[in-house]
Amino acid sequence: NIVRRSNLDLVISDQSLPEGDGPSLPGAISAVKPDLPHLLVSGQAPSRAERTSTNRTVPILYKPFSSTDLGIAVRRLLDLGT
């Protein structure tokens, strides 16, 4: 498993994946590395994205977002892990 062998500090993934279910990815990753933070990004409207998310504890950053918004979200998640 790539997650198990990696030295990742954070995972950022889209809520919509071409071959899979974006909202279920954080759960699959946390089964292997429970302390690895995850950030979902979504181009869907917030109400729809929240309804389709299977894990309410994973933050969602809505598109379009700025590099500043992304940096703040990443920093917040990394700070929580320390």
Side-chain angles (χ1 to χ4, degrees):
N1 185 317
I2 192 167
V3 173
R4 185 174 287 130
R5 295 185 315 242
S6 69
N7 193 19
L8 298 173
D9 294 317
L10 171 73
V11 174
I12 300 173
S13 64
D14 201 289
Q15 188 164 9
S16 298
L17 298 175
E19 293 182 25
D21 179 20
S24 67
L25 185 59
I29 290 173
S30 68
V32 177
K33 281 198 171 181
D35 295 331
L36 184 62
H38 199 118
L39 175 65
L40 282 173
V41 296
S42 178
Q44 298 179 0
S47 61
R48 180 182 161 119
E50 289 166 6
R51 278 198 312 273
T52 60
S53 179
T54 58
N55 190 337
R56 301 266 185 237
T57 61
V58 176
I60 302 173
L61 187 61
Y62 297 99
K63 300 174 189 176
F65 51 83
S66 68
S67 58
T68 300
D69 293 336
L70 178 60
I72 290 169
V74 166
R75 180 79 270 153
R76 202 174 280 149
L77 284 169
L78 292 176
D79 287 347
L80 286 173
T82 59

